[in-house]
Amino acid sequence: MDKDEIHLRRLPAPHADREFCGVDFLPEDLNEALEETEMRVNKTYSCLPAEEKGIHIINIRAIEDIGYDQHESTLLNSLSKNPDADCKYGLYFRDGKRKVDYILVYQYKKSSAGRTVTRRAHYDSTARSTKQGQPLPGKGVQLETGESEPHMDYHEDDKRFRREEYEGNLVEAGLELEHDEDTKIHGIGFVKIHAPWNVLCREAEFLKLKMPTKKMYQISQTHGLLKKINSVIQKITEPIQPKVAEHKPQTVKRLSYPFSREKQHLFDLSDRDSFFDSKTRSTVVYEILKRTTCTKAKYSMGITSLLANGVYSAAYPLHDGDYEGENVEPNDRKLLCEEWASYGVFYKYQPIDLVRKYFGEKIGLYFAWLGVYTQMLIPASIVGIIVFLYGCATVDENIPSMEMCDQRNNITMCPLCDRTCSYWKMSSACATARASHLFDNPATVFFSVFMALWAATFMEHWKRKQMRLNYRWDLTGFEEEEDHPRAEYEAKVLEKSLRKEHKHKETDKEKLTWKDRFPAYLTNFVGIIFMVGLTFAIVFGVIIYRISTAAALAISSTPSGRSSVRVTVTATAVIINLVVIIILDEVYGCIARWLTQIEVPKTDKNFEERLIFKAFLLKFVNAYTPIFYVAFFKGRFVGRPGDYVYIFHSFRMEECAPGGCLMELCIQLSIIMLGKQLIQNNLFEIGIPKMKKFIRYMKLKHQHSLDHEEHMKKKQRYEVDYNLEPFAGLTPEYMEMIIQFGFVTLFVASFPLAPLFALLNNIIEIRLDAKKFVTELRRPVAVRAKDIGIWYNILRGIGKLAVIINAFVISFTSDFIPRLVYLYMYSENGTMHGFVNHTLSSFNVSDFQAGTAPNDPMDLGYEVVICRYKDYREPPWSENKYDISKDFWAVLAARLAFVIVFQNLVMFMSEFVDWIIPDIPKDISQQIHKEKVLMVEVFMREEQGKLQMLETWKDKDKKKGENCNNHSPRLSRSHSGSLSSCHSYPLDV
């Protein structure tokens, strides 16, 4: 550009916050500035309304050249009104008319050599012809008074150029932008984005968004007895209904149809400002951001790539406003905070429709599913409490536990460990035996069957609820289209194509094949196997701890303390397991994300599904491995006295208590479940965001202490939202609920109170998540979804697995089957008397291996000749002494038969429930059919109207033709011309 060329810029009148909107201040060295940027006269950058007058400046070098210094600016600004109030503190552009639909945030370096003048600018409508290589509005070089600013480094220039091109392309796409670097957060700039009406209409048509039409129809209501029942239920539940308009029952509904610009007359466009709500507007802008690229870099980059490479530091839609304060205007966020995100309304239903309106369908479905799950836990909790109370009521009538507690039986048990442990009385385990009956009684079998049917009913109930929501939210017929490729996928494809070009090969449209991903697949397989092996190793380490600690406590404890050794060891081991589970959960979450990233999935949906699968697999193994060990492996491979199984030739495998391992399983399950919910789900969710918020507050306070005047300003909405936590997706929220669903269903036979504790946790969890979404997180981009995706399949899988596991728990872990076998095969009088003696085998102490006998055989005060141990083996006076007896095989056969019968019976009942309950409620299917019929009627009327109009125009056309034919001969020479003119009236259908 010629240095002597005159360039015009428009300097608006002074604004209220000491800034010159649209003026780019050049450094002292004009040559350097002219090389960096070109300004054209037809670019008019203004952040004031068009009616305000400005002055033209020629060859501005510094603002002081025209005699306008900062002191005069201050004086003028003091007489003007506050512009931040006009734009509602960041919710609108500076003109106070255009709504901010989306925010892009970037970092820039401020020079410390002198005073830096910042700017607020926006793209005028004339800026849409911006070409690549020319500066974008508000993106010029900063002017400093004093010495010239040193040249930015290459990376900062590269990011700036990419931003300029990308924002220019956004303007070409029809969006309107406005910059703001005059913020309280130093070094952070904001780009405000507004989607005008024509862009919203265009994108709504592309996205096939269903919008309400003018046509309204009556929703069919129930009649007769059902109507009376529904009215009674509504009156009863009125106090627990949220006080929001969206939650009230509707009698009429607007007919919805995919938006079309050609059929705008079908829609109610009387209020264009509210036709597209803030959720829809942000979705539209986000779609444009995803598909808009900047090609000035080495490869095409969309918004995801720009965020990943640090060109922009954040991108998010704005919240509707403040949720607390005295003079806060009513908004949906404030209403959600009062009626949903508050612990004081824990007893109320959730305003799901308002949640969907504010956050979108995907988040709305999560909270709807969580609400249905919590409601379904109420009957499960009631039945669980009844089963537990039944155990408490019958504990004194349980003959096996009474025999174990009877001092007169004088049953001497074999030592629990070698040398250091001595013989012990079975009556010392009386408390454990009585407690086991609370959870190991005939009612637990019924409860297991009930919970299997409950899981099937819950899944069917959710499918029906989901269909109702799809109808209410106009998602019927919605099909998810293939998403845009992820930035990492595009980068890998580009890298592959460049390699082929380098080798002079023909390159068609490239894509990643299994050969390209094979190293990642191999890494995934090895990594997952290693993580599962690590979990097993940690559980094995805890087993070693239990064995060694039990032996140590048996040596040092007093006689009264020795009786509680088993409970002490179990409790401490479970706490260790809990701590390890919580730590590994966080580690496995990060590893699962890394393993998914190296696979380079094509779309965000593929990425999310693969991440969910890996994270669920690792966390499932992590949470349930200790429980599986106690349920199915502990006490199974211990051997017998005189021939025990040893680990590393020194540690003897631990045994179950005389009452069985079910009580230990109950302790293990309850501590892990309650601890995980209390610590990980609640304290972490409350504590970590609070801590992060406090750290950000302290950093900002330190920065603001350097600039008291900036600190006194009220923050803009986008500044407040920038300080919130970014939304990390729903995977963590779903994951903790799915793991909890496993605790409720998988081992419910051992812990009937699990549904009750899950219910209490979820009542808090709903409000905790709601508060986090409304107050702690940036507003997520609304995503349309008609179901909960892969999580439904995981839930179904857990439900099927629960039937099998509960069958094995009842059959092999509890004493339910041995009692039945004894009662019907071996009992002399048809009662349970003698059951305990039947399950114990005898051992002659003279058969101990050398060095394994107790050091103090007279600990009980008498010499022991025969000790007892829990197993089905031949006595020492038998020919085949210590061999497995026929009683063992009888009990094993009964156990396997029970597993087969229980599993098939419950599976059949579950499938029957699945079949008998229709997926789509009858009234909803009727309403959907009614909508289709009404829509056909609307279009048929429209077509008939068009045909009538065409017939009318044809008649007019004929009459005009006849009039033209009756013209005088004077006009006959121009007959053809006049005839054509007669037919040239405009035709607008």
Side-chain angles (χ1 to χ4, degrees):
M1 184 176 68
D2 189 359
K3 297 179 183 177
D4 297 329
E5 185 179 349
I6 295 177
H7 303 284
L8 298 181
R9 300 189 187 183
R10 183 171 179 81
L11 177 67
H15 210 267
D17 49 356
R18 302 182 185 178
E19 62 191 0
F20 298 91
C21 300
V23 179
D24 290 327
F25 298 101
L26 306 180
E28 293 292 332
D29 188 357
L30 186 60
N31 295 334
E32 181 180 346
L34 293 173
E35 290 176 14
E36 284 196 84
T37 182
E38 291 183 17
M39 301 299 291
R40 297 184 298 170
V41 176
N42 64 340
K43 294 278 198 248
T44 305
Y45 309 139
S46 171
C47 65
L48 292 176
E51 34 305 322
E52 295 196 24
K53 302 280 175 106
I55 57 173
H56 288 280
I57 313 292
I58 302 179
N59 282 343
I60 301 175
R61 291 187 60 195
I63 197 64
E64 286 81 6
D65 292 349
I66 61 171
Y68 185 85
D69 60 14
Q70 192 172 1
H71 297 289
E72 295 173 2
S73 163
T74 305
L75 179 61
L76 289 170
N77 285 334
S78 65
L79 299 175
S80 62
K81 62 179 181 179
N82 182 10
D84 291 339
D86 293 339
C87 64
K88 294 189 178 179
Y89 294 98
L91 287 173
Y92 288 81
F93 275 22
R94 303 298 295 176
D95 57 13
K97 297 177 181 177
R98 289 173 293 175
K99 186 176 177 62
V100 176
D101 299 319
Y102 216 86
I103 290 292
L104 298 179
V105 187
Y106 60 91
Q107 295 179 347
Y108 66 93
K109 290 185 177 179
K110 283 189 175 182
S111 173
S112 58
R115 174 173 53 89
T116 302
V117 181
T118 57
R119 70 198 187 283
R120 279 187 177 137
H122 78 281
Y123 290 118
D124 197 83
S125 59
T126 58
R128 296 186 183 180
S129 60
T130 305
K131 297 179 181 179
Q132 295 182 4
Q134 291 179 328
L136 295 170
K139 299 292 289 184
V141 184
Q142 294 175 347
L143 170 80
E144 296 186 35
T145 58
E147 298 180 4
S148 62
E149 180 182 354
H151 195 274
M152 290 184 180
D153 59 21
Y154 169 76
H155 293 293
E156 289 299 318
D157 281 344
D158 183 54
K159 289 180 182 179
R160 180 164 53 85
F161 291 148
R162 291 185 190 183
R163 285 198 298 268
E164 288 174 358
E165 185 199 355
Y166 184 72
E167 290 166 17
N169 292 339
L170 292 179
V171 173
E172 292 289 339
L175 298 179
E176 297 176 5
L177 313 183
E178 182 177 88
H179 283 83
D180 185 3
E181 289 181 1
D182 184 17
T183 62
K184 293 178 67 174
I185 309 174
H186 293 279
I188 298 294
F190 295 90
V191 182
K192 294 176 276 188
I193 303 177
H194 169 76
W197 172 256
N198 61 325
V199 174
L200 292 171
C201 293
R202 182 191 71 203
E203 297 299 321
E205 186 172 344
F206 291 167
L207 295 173
K208 300 176 183 177
L209 296 179
K210 274 192 171 182
M211 304 301 293
T213 62
K214 297 176 183 176
K215 176 70 175 177
M216 301 182 73
Y217 69 95
Q218 194 81 17
I219 297 176
S220 59
Q221 302 291 323
T222 55
H223 300 285
L225 182 63
L226 284 177
K227 185 177 182 181
K228 293 180 180 179
I229 294 173
N230 287 337
S231 62
V232 170
I233 292 174
Q234 286 180 5
K235 289 179 181 178
I236 294 173
T237 59
E238 188 175 356
I240 59 175
Q241 300 290 346
K243 298 177 182 177
V244 296
E246 287 79 2
H247 199 76
K248 294 179 180 178
Q250 296 179 342
T251 55
V252 293
K253 186 178 185 293
R254 284 188 179 275
L255 194 63
S256 295
Y257 185 73
F259 187 82
S260 172
R261 287 171 288 181
E262 294 181 355
K263 300 184 182 298
Q264 288 193 29
H265 57 278
L266 294 177
F267 303 94
D268 184 11
L269 303 179
S270 57
D271 186 5
R272 290 190 172 188
D273 292 336
S274 62
F275 183 72
F276 295 107
D277 57 14
S278 58
K279 166 183 69 71
T280 307
R281 297 176 72 97
S282 63
T283 303
V284 164
V285 174
Y286 182 64
E287 286 296 322
I288 298 175
L289 292 176
K290 281 200 297 185
R291 71 166 183 259
T292 304
T293 59
C294 69
T295 56
K296 191 176 286 186
K298 292 182 180 178
Y299 57 91
S300 176
M301 301 179 72
I303 185 62
T304 52
S305 298
L306 295 173
L307 288 168
N309 291 317
V311 178
Y312 291 101
S313 58
Y316 52 88
L318 291 180
H319 280 293
D320 278 359
D322 291 325
Y323 60 90
E324 58 184 358
E326 296 180 358
N327 300 320
V328 177
E329 294 184 3
N331 58 70
D332 287 342
R333 189 188 186 193
K334 186 174 185 294
L335 187 59
L336 282 172
C337 189
E338 293 172 352
E339 293 294 328
W340 181 52
S342 172
Y343 295 111
V345 293
F346 73 92
Y347 59 92
K348 288 188 176 183
Y349 285 100
Q350 299 181 83
I352 292 297
D353 292 322
L354 184 59
V355 174
R356 172 254 180 181
K357 177 186 174 185
Y358 193 79
F359 291 110
E361 286 80 6
K362 193 171 185 178
I363 294 175
L365 280 173
Y366 163 70
F367 281 103
W369 173 83
L370 184 55
V372 169
Y373 172 46
T374 305
Q375 287 177 7
M376 289 294 292
L377 282 172
I378 295 174
S381 303
I382 293 172
V383 176
I385 292 171
I386 293 172
V387 169
F388 178 73
L389 293 177
Y390 171 81
C392 295
T394 58
V395 67
D396 292 329
E397 301 171 6
N398 183 39
I399 295 174
S401 62
M402 290 168 61
E403 287 183 349
M404 289 181 65
C405 296
D406 191 355
Q407 298 283 350
R408 296 171 296 178
N409 282 338
N410 198 26
I411 299 176
T412 303
M413 303 298 293
C414 295
L416 296 174
C417 60
D418 293 341
R419 295 187 300 276
T420 55
C421 298
S422 185
Y423 305 107
W424 55 284
K425 290 282 189 182
M426 175 175 264
S427 58
S428 64
C430 175
T432 307
R434 288 173 64 85
S436 295
H437 179 74
L438 301 178
F439 307 100
D440 186 5
N441 56 68
T444 56
V445 179
F446 158 75
F447 190 56
S448 299
V449 176
F450 171 82
M451 287 303 294
L453 298 178
W454 172 88
T457 309
F458 162 58
M459 301 304 294
E460 290 305 308
H461 179 45
W462 166 244
K463 280 196 288 188
R464 291 169 63 83
K465 177 70 173 179
Q466 194 169 253
M467 280 307 303
R468 288 189 181 277
L469 294 176
N470 285 342
Y471 166 70
R472 264 171 32 203
W473 297 348
D474 298 322
L475 291 172
T476 51
F478 167 71
E479 295 294 336
E480 292 185 15
E481 298 180 0
E482 187 174 356
D483 204 355
H484 299 278
R486 297 175 63 248
E488 293 82 355
Y489 180 85
E490 290 183 333
K492 281 285 184 184
V493 170
L494 178 71
E495 185 182 334
K496 182 179 178 181
S497 60
L498 290 176
R499 281 200 308 267
K500 286 196 173 183
E501 286 179 6
H502 184 67
K503 295 177 180 178
H504 306 289
K505 292 184 179 179
E506 293 185 2
T507 56
D508 297 329
K509 190 174 181 180
E510 292 292 338
K511 63 179 182 178
L512 296 185
T513 62
W514 70 269
K515 293 181 180 179
D516 300 316
R517 292 193 173 104
F518 180 74
Y521 289 154
L522 184 62
T523 306
N524 269 263
F525 178 76
V526 174
I528 290 175
I529 293 296
F530 174 77
M531 292 301 122
V532 173
L534 176 63
T535 304
F536 290 164
I538 291 173
V539 171
F540 184 73
V542 175
I543 294 170
I544 299 296
Y545 160 80
R546 292 161 68 115
I547 296 170
S548 56
T549 307
L553 289 175
I555 299 172
S556 59
S557 296
T558 60
S560 59
R562 274 197 285 264
S563 62
S564 60
V565 166
R566 192 183 296 274
V567 176
T568 305
V569 171
T570 301
T572 54
V574 172
I575 291 171
I576 293 172
N577 274 327
L578 174 63
V579 173
V580 171
I581 286 171
I582 291 173
I583 294 172
L584 286 184
D585 254 4
E586 304 302 320
V587 175
Y588 286 169
C590 298
I591 290 174
R593 180 168 291 277
W594 176 74
L595 290 174
T596 309
Q597 285 172 346
I598 64 174
E599 280 188 59
V600 197
K602 184 175 181 180
T603 62
D604 286 329
K605 184 179 179 181
N606 291 341
F607 180 89
E608 185 180 25
E609 287 181 350
R610 296 186 185 194
L611 172 62
I612 288 169
F613 174 75
K614 293 181 184 65
F616 173 74
L617 178 63
L618 292 174
K619 293 189 176 185
F620 182 88
V621 171
N622 181 41
Y624 294 110
T625 300
I627 301 172
F628 269 92
Y629 164 72
V630 174
F632 303 122
F633 296 98
K634 185 178 178 182
R636 308 290 172 194
F637 312 102
V638 296
R640 61 170 178 81
D643 188 21
Y644 283 115
V645 177
Y646 291 90
I647 304 173
F648 305 132
H649 303 289
S650 55
F651 296 105
R652 203 176 93 186
M653 289 295 290
E654 55 182 343
E655 303 175 42
C656 288
C661 279
L662 197 70
M663 187 59 201
E664 291 186 44
L665 177 61
C666 176
I667 294 172
Q668 185 103 8
L669 185 66
S670 59
I671 292 179
I672 291 178
M673 179 183 176
L674 296 178
K676 202 171 183 302
Q677 288 185 167
L678 181 65
I679 297 172
Q680 192 174 29
N681 297 0
N682 292 333
L683 290 183
F684 280 13
E685 285 193 22
I686 297 173
I688 291 178
K690 293 286 185 186
M691 186 173 65
K692 288 182 178 178
K693 193 174 182 181
F694 178 73
I695 292 172
R696 286 195 302 269
Y697 170 76
M698 294 304 294
K699 284 182 179 178
L700 292 173
K701 188 177 180 181
H702 176 69
Q703 292 175 355
H704 294 156
S705 62
L706 304 176
D707 191 347
H708 179 70
E709 184 181 350
E710 287 286 328
H711 183 61
M712 294 307 292
K713 283 184 182 179
K714 182 177 179 179
K715 281 186 178 181
Q716 304 287 334
R717 177 78 261 153
Y718 42 85
E719 294 178 74
V720 176
D721 287 1
Y722 177 70
N723 291 327
L724 299 176
E725 277 289 301
F727 174 63
L730 287 170
T731 301
E733 313 299 334
Y734 272 115
M735 187 67 72
E736 64 185 59
M737 288 295 105
I738 297 296
I739 296 295
Q740 184 204 83
F741 182 76
F743 282 121
V744 169
T745 55
L746 291 180
F747 296 94
V748 74
S750 64
F751 190 40
L753 294 179
L756 174 64
F757 290 114
L759 173 64
L760 297 176
N761 174 81
N762 287 4
I763 291 172
I764 301 172
E765 181 74 22
I766 290 175
R767 307 303 164 180
L768 182 64
D769 283 348
K771 199 170 187 65
K772 182 171 67 174
F773 273 84
V774 173
T775 65
E776 302 287 342
L777 297 179
R778 293 175 190 161
R779 188 175 183 177
V781 179
V783 178
R784 287 189 297 169
K786 62 187 301 184
D787 52 41
I788 59 175
I790 192 175
W791 296 111
Y792 181 80
N793 297 328
I794 292 175
L795 284 167
R796 282 188 67 88
I798 292 176
K800 303 292 185 187
L801 183 63
V803 176
I804 301 171
I805 289 179
N806 279 304
F808 277 94
V809 167
I810 295 169
S811 182
F812 286 89
T813 309
S814 76
D815 280 340
F816 178 73
I817 299 301
R819 287 184 198 139
L820 287 181
V821 172
Y822 176 79
L823 186 64
Y824 293 107
M825 289 181 65
Y826 299 104
S827 177
E828 296 177 356
N829 52 9
T831 64
M832 293 302 294
H833 288 288
F835 171 72
V836 174
N837 188 58
H838 178 74
T839 59
L840 298 177
S841 298
S842 301
F843 177 75
N844 193 327
V845 297
S846 62
D847 293 331
F848 272 121
Q849 290 181 352
T852 61
N855 295 332
D856 186 11
M858 300 294 292
D859 185 57
L860 294 179
Y862 55 88
E863 184 180 357
V864 177
V865 178
I866 299 293
C867 66
R868 309 295 297 273
Y869 61 98
K870 189 176 175 65
D871 205 348
Y872 292 100
R873 289 183 181 270
E874 296 291 344
W877 50 84
S878 174
E879 293 181 3
N880 304 316
K881 64 176 184 178
Y882 307 133
D883 284 352
I884 294 175
S885 66
K886 63 177 183 179
D887 298 344
F888 170 83
W889 299 111
V891 171
L892 179 62
R895 282 174 164 167
L896 293 176
F898 176 84
V899 168
I900 295 170
V901 172
F902 181 89
Q903 175 185 333
N904 286 281
L905 177 64
V906 175
M907 287 284 191
F908 171 76
M909 294 171 69
S910 299
E911 292 298 326
F912 180 74
V913 169
D914 192 357
W915 171 75
I916 202 172
I917 301 176
D919 294 346
I920 305 176
K922 187 177 180 181
D923 60 325
I924 295 299
S925 61
Q926 291 175 350
Q927 297 292 350
I928 293 172
H929 178 71
K930 186 177 180 180
E931 278 196 353
K932 290 179 181 178
V933 172
L934 287 174
M935 187 54 67
V936 170
E937 289 180 2
V938 168
F939 283 121
M940 289 299 293
R941 288 176 186 172
E942 186 181 1
E943 290 298 322
Q944 290 173 1
K946 286 181 181 179
L947 290 173
Q948 290 176 0
M949 291 175 66
L950 287 172
E951 292 293 334
T952 305
W953 285 329
K954 283 181 181 178
D955 293 342
K956 289 182 179 179
D957 188 34
K958 288 180 180 178
K959 290 179 181 179
K960 285 193 176 184
E962 292 173 358
N963 292 337
C964 289
N965 290 332
N966 294 331
H967 280 314
S968 62
R970 188 165 47 88
L971 299 174
S972 61
R973 287 172 298 180
S974 58
H975 176 73
S976 60
S978 62
L979 185 62
S980 63
S981 65
C982 289
H983 289 272
S984 62
Y985 58 83
L987 183 65
D988 185 14
V989 180

